[in-house]
Amino acid sequence: MDSSISSCSVIIVGAGISGIMSAKVLADDGIKDFLILEASDRIGGRLMKHHFAGLTVESGAGWVAGVGGNNMNPIWELAKEHSLRTCYSDYSNAVFNIYDPSGVRIPESVAAASYELAVDSANRALAIEAASTVGNFISPLEELKSQEFVPSTPLELAIDYILHDFEMAEVEPIATFTEFGEQEFMVSDDRGYEHIVCKLSEEFLKYSDSGHVVDDRLKLNKVVTEIQYTNHGATVKTEDGSLYMAKFVISSVSLGVLQSDLIKFNPLLPCWKTKTFFNCDIRTYTKIFLKFPTKFWPTGDGTEFFLYAHPKRGYYTFWQHMENAYPESNILIVTVTDEESKRVEEQGDEETKAEAMTVLRKMFGDGIPVAEQILVPKWWSNRFQRGSYSNYPILVDKKHFHDIRVKHKYIY
């Protein structure tokens, strides 16, 4: 615990990329009297690397999405500026590399027809929802058409899962891709994706020759539990009993934390503000890494991603090999999301490995080797995150963006 109450102009809660960028903006504008309080023992937030099977893998954000368009993606600009090693990921064949429950690869023509049907149905449903939101008339025929397609077969469930749940819960077009381009690059750098956050922090924080932060304006392992505010400023309390006072507070914590009871606001934030937190989704996206002694899956062009159509929607559906990023690494990634993520986090890693192996044997036969190592990130149960990424509702309006960003008194 700090021996006295500390005071500064601005307190920033969280040292992920948004917190570090907030501090950088302040420093660039000549405001250097700030304090960053970070709950964990590192900076970077959900940009987090892990050492697994002799390699650096990304347990959190793993791709730069939106590259190759007319506008430069600022994250891609940072990645290029700091020579971050990346590998192009081609998702275009993912929905055509689908194995049925018995392990038979579904013909591309059948998969393509099912995908087109799902996209058309999703777009019709979205158009009707948009029309009803603004009060436009919807004919009974249009409403009936939107309800014609209900996924039920394992193939339809797999495609519906990929289209709606897998990553962004949006149907095309997706703003990131229309704004910055449709290419995606997987980060495969020994320094990790978090390296760009560290490099940003070096522009305003003091570092030792050995590469460690030695700046008193960054305090790690400081779990904020309460933010008291008045018309004159704010006081921030941490779990170890420390108190910090400031004129302003910038909260950069995850939406999942704001939806939890970790941080208490005193007095309570107004309803219009808290409503914005719960009108957004916090999605859980779990990449499970499996290391094998040998490869037994297809490699080469168009094989990086493949799907398993299980009768249970979202059950070990989306697979990726890492041969493009790390040749001869013999690593597979299977991604689960939301309820499946929570279920997997609650069970032991060996049980998760056994479930994944059962699915792999369905696709590739009983003779495949057992995984030697497994890594299961725990984003949902991490009380400093409570999820992997925020997701705005599909039909979000400008007022929602305004309300979630605008300050309340001295809190941003």
Side-chain angles (χ1 to χ4, degrees), residues 234-252:
T235 300
V236 175
K237 295 183 178 181
T238 57
E239 203 167 57
D240 63 3
S242 301
L243 296 175
Y244 303 92
M245 299 179 66
K247 184 68 174 176
F248 299 97
V249 173
I250 298 174
S251 172
S252 72

Side-chain angles (χ1 to χ4, degrees), residues 175-194:
T176 298
F177 300 136
T178 56
E179 183 75 14
F180 300 121
E182 295 185 353
Q183 297 178 0
E184 297 188 51
F185 287 81
M186 182 181 185
V187 175
S188 50
D189 193 295
D190 288 342
R191 300 166 297 177
Y193 209 159
E194 63 190 52

Side-chain angles (χ1 to χ4, degrees), residues 111-287:
S114 184
Y115 180 74
E116 289 175 9
L117 177 62
V119 170
D120 289 344
S121 175
N123 284 330
R124 282 198 302 269
L126 181 60
I128 287 175
E129 186 176 352
S132 64
T133 300
V134 297
N136 290 346
F137 173 74
I138 305 168
S139 73
L141 180 59
E142 289 175 325
E143 191 164 359
L144 185 62
K145 284 183 177 180
S146 73
Q147 299 171 359
E148 284 180 354
F149 176 71
V150 178
S152 57
T153 69
L155 172 60
E156 291 169 348
L157 290 170
I159 289 176
D160 185 71
Y161 171 76
I162 295 302
L163 189 62
H164 292 285
D165 295 53
F166 172 62
E167 188 169 358
M168 302 192 221
E170 294 179 81
V171 293
E172 298 178 351
I174 296 170
T176 298
F177 300 136
T178 56
E179 183 75 14
F180 300 121
E182 295 185 353
Q183 297 178 0
E184 297 188 51
F185 287 81
M186 182 181 185
V187 175
S188 50
D189 193 295
D190 288 342
R191 300 166 297 177
Y193 209 159
E194 63 190 52
H195 178 68
I196 63 173
V197 184
C198 295
K199 296 304 290 185
L200 286 169
S201 70
E202 287 179 5
E203 297 183 26
F204 59 89
L205 291 178
K206 297 175 184 176
Y207 274 74
S208 67
D209 293 339
S210 59
H212 296 93
V213 179
V214 289
D215 198 310
D216 289 338
R217 293 175 298 173
L218 171 67
K219 295 189 179 296
L220 301 177
N221 300 304
K222 289 292 182 179
V223 182
V224 172
T225 56
E226 185 175 355
I227 299 174
Q228 298 178 349
Y229 62 95
T230 67
N231 290 327
H232 307 289
T235 300
V236 175
K237 295 183 178 181
T238 57
E239 203 167 57
D240 63 3
S242 301
L243 296 175
Y244 303 92
M245 299 179 66
K247 184 68 174 176
F248 299 97
V249 173
I250 298 174
S251 172
S252 72
V253 300
S254 78
L255 182 64
V257 170
L258 290 174
Q259 292 178 352
S260 76
D261 59 359
L262 178 62
I263 300 177
K264 176 184 177 183
F265 289 89
N266 188 10
L268 296 176
L269 294 173
C271 289
W272 64 264
K273 191 66 172 177
T274 56
K275 185 179 178 181
T276 64
F277 304 155
F278 291 93
N279 279 347
C280 287
D281 297 324
I282 179 73
R283 310 307 297 261
T284 308
Y285 179 100
T286 306
K287 293 178 290 185

Side-chain angles (χ1 to χ4, degrees), residues 8-13 18-36 203-204 217 246 248-250 412:
C8 60
S9 295
V10 184
I11 291 173
I12 300 167
V13 183
S18 59
I20 293 299
M21 278 301 299
S22 297
K24 182 180 181 304
V25 170
L26 291 175
D28 290 347
D29 287 344
I31 303 172
K32 302 181 189 280
D33 181 24
F34 57 78
L35 182 66
I36 306 170
E203 297 183 26
F204 59 89
R217 293 175 298 173
F248 299 97
V249 173
I250 298 174
Y412 288 84

Side-chain angles (χ1 to χ4, degrees), residues 1-6 242:
M1 173 178 172
D2 291 357
S3 58
S4 61
I5 298 176
S6 300
S242 301

Side-chain angles (χ1 to χ4, degrees), residues 86-110:
T86 60
C87 175
Y88 174 64
S89 286
D90 183 5
Y91 286 91
S92 62
N93 291 321
V95 294
F96 308 127
N97 291 332
I98 306 179
Y99 295 82
D100 73 12
S102 64
V104 175
R105 191 168 178 272
I106 295 171
E108 288 189 16
S109 59
V110 175

